[in-house]
Amino acid sequence: MTELVIQGREFAADGVLELTLRHPLGQQLPAWEPGAHIDLLLGPDLERQYSLCGDPSDRTAWRIAVLREPDGRGGSAFVHEQLGQGDKVRVRGPRNHFALHPAPRYRFIAGGIGITPILPMLAAAEAAGAEWTLLYGGRTRASMAFTEELRGYGDRVTLAPQDESGLLDLAPVLDDLPDGTLVYCCGPGPLLDAVEERCPKGVLHVERFQPKEQQAGQDTEFEVVLARSGRTLTVPPGVSVLDSVRSAGVEVLYSCTEGTCGTCETDVVEGAPDHRDSVLTDAEREAGETMLICVSRCRGKRLVLDL
């Protein structure tokens, strides 16, 4: 965790505030790769995750963009109303659960503020010589951030404001994908669900701002063994592994408590997790080597975790 200073503050679009963060002593910031996000620790029980959307090669500054959400839980309102130029803010990270994997071609799809993790991916794909396109939608053209930056990519970028062209037309982008194509999508839940329905298995990578609706699983009691100490805890119905571990006095990192940020991802030594998160890929779930302890449970009677 570190404390950074806000050295840039401007609106990137209607309702979207762009912040530039630097170290107060001019020190280099930790390295990051496209898809990474940081946690802003805004106050007691007020932490929010925001994607880094600047240039990974610039170790002097981090850029994020925050959408003002009138019906949100207070994080975006705090950023818009309380954080000003020159203010300091505590930051944790970066972490990356949305990494850009090497591929000869990409199809990028962004909805609204979902453009933020995608933006540095475009530059990385361009630098790698990959073939790519971006389909970017929003409520209105004025609400879509970074459109001026995107103009430099020419006709590889399609801007599709909903008030001008309706919902995003996914068919031309996703039908008949050439072999070796990877699809990266970030945006509101209905968009991600629609993209998932069209994509072949194994080609899609998504990042969600809200938890995906999960099928109801068993909510029965089970045991968790903490491998580092040998302690055994009982996790009753209706109580998360995270809460059980913290109640036992074990300090673990966590943030969103809804399975979307990945902060509480924990290695599984033994047992079968009942995955209920919105972060892990299908392959990662099948491997069962990690789990998000804020929402996921156990498919048996016992889990051994690296805690």
Side-chain angles (χ1 to χ4, degrees):
M1 187 186 307
T2 188
E3 192 173 60
L4 302 182
V5 63
I6 298 172
Q7 290 201 344
R9 186 185 190 277
E10 60 182 302
F11 281 92
D14 288 351
V16 179
L17 182 63
E18 176 186 334
L19 298 180
T20 301
L21 308 175
R22 297 183 186 273
H23 194 281
L25 300 179
Q27 297 177 10
Q28 281 198 337
L29 300 178
W32 62 281
E33 295 182 350
H37 68 261
I38 57 174
D39 303 329
L40 294 192
L41 284 66
L42 303 171
D45 299 318
L46 188 60
E47 297 182 17
R48 294 295 182 268
Q49 295 75 44
Y50 299 105
S51 296
L52 292 170
C53 58
D55 179 1
S57 68
D58 182 2
R59 298 283 300 277
T60 68
W62 283 344
R63 181 175 73 165
I64 61 173
V66 181
L67 172 67
R68 175 67 183 265
E69 300 183 75
D71 299 323
R73 296 176 297 158
S76 67
F78 185 96
V79 172
H80 277 246
E81 296 172 8
Q82 303 296 325
L83 293 185
Q85 188 120 348
D87 287 346
K88 292 182 178 179
V89 61
R90 291 185 300 153
V91 178
R92 185 170 58 216
R95 293 191 311 277
N96 199 341
H97 290 277
F98 192 41
L100 183 68
H101 298 280
R105 61 191 60 84
Y106 300 96
R107 298 293 177 263
F108 297 106
I109 302 171
I113 199 62
I115 190 61
T116 51
I118 299 294
L119 201 60
M121 291 184 180
L122 305 182
E126 184 80 354
E131 182 270 315
W132 62 268
T133 62
L134 166 67
L135 177 62
Y136 176 23
R139 292 180 293 101
T140 65
R141 193 172 294 270
S143 72
M144 297 167 65
F146 307 120
T147 54
E148 286 302 314
E149 290 186 30
L150 293 170
R151 292 188 194 282
Y153 291 120
D155 60 6
R156 283 174 294 177
V157 174
T158 300
L159 302 180
Q162 186 174 347
D163 64 339
E164 297 177 20
S165 53
L167 297 176
L168 292 180
D169 184 5
L170 300 176
V173 178
L174 298 178
D175 289 356
D176 301 319
L177 287 173
D179 290 342
T181 304
L182 292 182
V183 178
Y184 280 78
C185 181
C186 185
L191 171 62
L192 301 185
D193 294 340
V195 172
E196 284 184 340
E197 289 179 4
R198 279 187 172 271
C199 273
K201 188 174 182 179
V203 307
L204 176 61
H205 299 264
V206 302
E207 183 169 60
R208 291 180 177 270
F209 299 133
Q210 300 294 332
K212 183 179 180 180
E213 185 174 344
Q214 305 283 345
Q215 291 184 344
Q218 289 187 341
D219 195 14
T220 55
E221 181 178 287
F222 59 94
E223 290 185 344
V224 168
V225 179
L226 308 183
R228 300 181 194 177
S229 65
R231 296 176 63 186
T232 297
L233 309 177
T234 298
V235 181
V239 178
S240 70
V241 176
L242 173 64
D243 286 343
S244 296
V245 169
R246 294 185 65 234
S247 295
V250 179
E251 291 296 323
V252 292
L253 289 178
Y254 70 97
S255 183
C256 73
T257 69
E258 57 184 15
T260 58
C261 75
T263 305
C264 69
E265 185 174 3
T266 301
D267 288 341
V268 178
V269 179
E270 184 182 321
D274 177 10
H275 295 291
R276 304 184 185 185
D277 64 276
S278 302
V279 173
L280 298 180
T281 65
D282 289 341
E284 289 169 333
R285 290 177 175 226
E286 290 174 9
E289 296 175 352
T290 67
M291 65 182 289
L292 271 65
I293 61 174
C294 68
V295 291
S296 297
R297 300 186 68 79
C298 179
R299 288 197 279 122
K301 294 294 184 180
R302 183 173 178 268
L303 280 173
V304 182
L305 301 180
D306 184 22
L307 291 172

